[in-house]
Amino acid sequence: MTTQETVQNEETCPAQSLLKQLSGKWKPEIFRLALAGPLRFNSLLKQIKGSNKQSLAIALSTLEEMELLQKITVSEKPLHIEYHLTERGKQLVPIFQQLEGMLFK
């Protein structure tokens, strides 16, 4: 297969594109934690060992851009921000569960 054919296949394969977008620092872990309920930034910093503010903020922003997480400002005191799985994000849950099942059999 030539390099041009490889590039063309990458561009036409939606699964590969999605996997590339979801790979990277902290995104899979954030997605997994979001399954349990709303996420808060400082809580994520504590839960994800080795994370830092900048890399976590970038990962959250990317997941928002992909419309997998929604950022919601909660006006209760103290004012805070929560991240929730969107409907699009929830649609990916069975896919990830199936992948996990395949990997750990």
Side-chain angles (χ1 to χ4, degrees):
M1 183 181 286
T2 67
T3 305
Q4 186 175 7
E5 289 172 331
T6 303
V7 170
Q8 186 177 13
N9 286 342
E10 288 177 1
E11 292 172 358
T12 59
C13 180
Q16 188 172 8
S17 174
L18 176 65
L19 289 172
K20 278 185 179 181
Q21 290 176 344
L22 285 173
S23 66
K25 210 161 198 159
W26 317 128
K27 287 184 271 183
E29 184 71 8
I30 292 168
F31 188 84
R32 186 185 64 78
L33 291 169
L35 297 175
L39 304 172
R40 291 175 71 172
F41 190 84
N42 286 334
S43 177
L44 285 172
L45 275 174
K46 293 174 188 172
Q47 288 180 287
I48 302 176
K49 301 284 187 215
S51 66
N52 61 56
K53 290 180 181 181
Q54 182 179 3
S55 62
L56 201 56
I58 290 169
L60 286 166
S61 176
T62 302
L63 290 169
E64 277 185 88
E65 288 172 10
M66 295 172 59
E67 298 179 359
L68 299 178
L69 287 182
Q70 179 181 17
K71 183 178 177 178
I72 298 174
T73 302
V74 179
S75 57
E76 297 173 3
K77 291 191 178 186
L79 182 71
H80 62 277
I81 294 172
E82 293 180 346
Y83 295 89
H84 297 259
L85 273 182
T86 62
E87 286 305 312
R88 184 176 184 189
K90 290 175 185 175
Q91 290 174 355
L92 290 176
V93 172
I95 296 167
F96 282 105
Q97 289 172 336
Q98 187 176 12
L99 286 172
E100 285 178 357
M102 292 172 65
L103 293 173
F104 297 109
K105 282 188 177 182

